[in-house]
């Protein structure tokens, strides 16, 4: 099974500011945790980050016919982008939306996700572990070998 993990704008800055919301660990640690989890689950993973909406759409489109599952944290584009859920629907790959913080307990503008209707599941407020839970969910429910 092949999983693509996509991270949106500013997530590469994790660990630098706002530790009360996003924790102390940095982006490199997040990527290492994802890679270790992939090994433990016996799947292949690739991790992508961009600050640009169109690049995120390009990456989703590139996954068509290649990835078996997507884990996506669209970051701020969660609350603004129509192009990202459109791309997810276009490729039809089972996708889990992840947010490090609990977007439902924060500012009003973060409570709406344009992405979640295009996803099988949304995990929010579980910190970095949310990504690992999303990977497990995809393996348990959408592995092509099962
Ligand atoms: O909780 C999440 O994972 C978010 O997707 C993170 C986004 C935010 O816009 C969403 O509403 C919720 C922010 C990405 C990272 O922002 C940083 C801010 C300060 C320091 C480092 C990263």
């Amino acid at each position: 099974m092949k999983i693509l993990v996509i991270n949106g704008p500013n997530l590469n800055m994790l660990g630098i500011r706002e530790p009360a919301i996003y924790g102390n660990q940095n982006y490199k640690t997040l990527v290492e945790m994802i890679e270790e989890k992939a090994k433990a689950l016996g799947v292949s993973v690739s991790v992508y980050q961009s600050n640009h909406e169109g690049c995120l759409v390009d990456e989703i489109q590139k996954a068509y016919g290649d990835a078996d599952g997507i884990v996506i944290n669209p970051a701020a584009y969660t609350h603004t982008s129509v192009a990202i859920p459109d791309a997810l629907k276009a490729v039809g790959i089972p996708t889990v939306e992840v947010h490090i913080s609990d977007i439902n307990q924060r500012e009003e503008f973060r409570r709406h996700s344009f992405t979640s209707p295009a996803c099988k599941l949304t995990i929010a407020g579980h910190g970095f572990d949310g990504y690992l839970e999303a990977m497990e969910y995809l393996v348990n429910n959408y592995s092509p070998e099962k």
Side-chain angles (χ1 to χ4, degrees):
M1 181 176 195
K2 199 165 175 180
I3 294 176
L4 170 63
V5 180
I6 299 178
N7 281 305
N10 297 309
L11 285 163
N12 55 319
M13 302 293 279
L14 285 169
I16 295 172
R17 288 170 59 115
E18 303 207 270
I21 300 172
Y22 302 116
N24 289 310
Q25 291 172 303
N26 62 21
Y27 185 70
K28 187 172 171 277
T29 302
L30 174 63
V31 174
E32 285 166 1
M33 284 171 68
I34 290 167
E35 287 171 349
E36 262 177 42
K37 184 69 176 179
K39 260 190 211 158
L41 291 169
V43 299
S44 95
V45 74
S46 83
V47 186
Y48 177 81
Q49 190 275 331
S50 176
N51 295 324
H52 306 279
E53 185 177 12
C55 295
L56 298 169
V57 169
D58 286 345
E59 195 64 18
I60 293 166
Q61 288 188 9
K62 272 196 254 160
Y64 182 67
D66 185 39
D68 306 298
I70 295 175
V71 175
I72 188 164
N73 183 347
Y77 291 137
T78 306
H79 320 295
T80 63
S81 174
V82 175
I84 289 171
D86 279 354
L88 292 171
K89 284 182 195 153
V91 298
I93 300 168
T95 299
V96 181
E97 176 186 16
V98 170
H99 297 285
I100 296 165
S101 65
D102 187 350
I103 54 174
N104 295 307
Q105 302 296 322
R106 298 183 62 191
E107 303 96 321
E108 186 67 41
F109 70 87
R110 293 190 203 272
R111 293 186 194 161
H112 181 256
S113 167
F114 283 99
T115 315
S116 57
C119 296
K120 302 288 184 192
L121 177 73
T122 297
I123 298 171
H126 296 190
F128 285 10
D129 284 350
Y131 289 83
L132 314 184
E133 291 164 21
M135 292 167 74
E136 259 179 51
Y137 173 85
L138 289 171
V139 169
N140 290 337
N141 294 283
Y142 295 100
S143 178
E145 291 94 46
K146 281 190 180 167

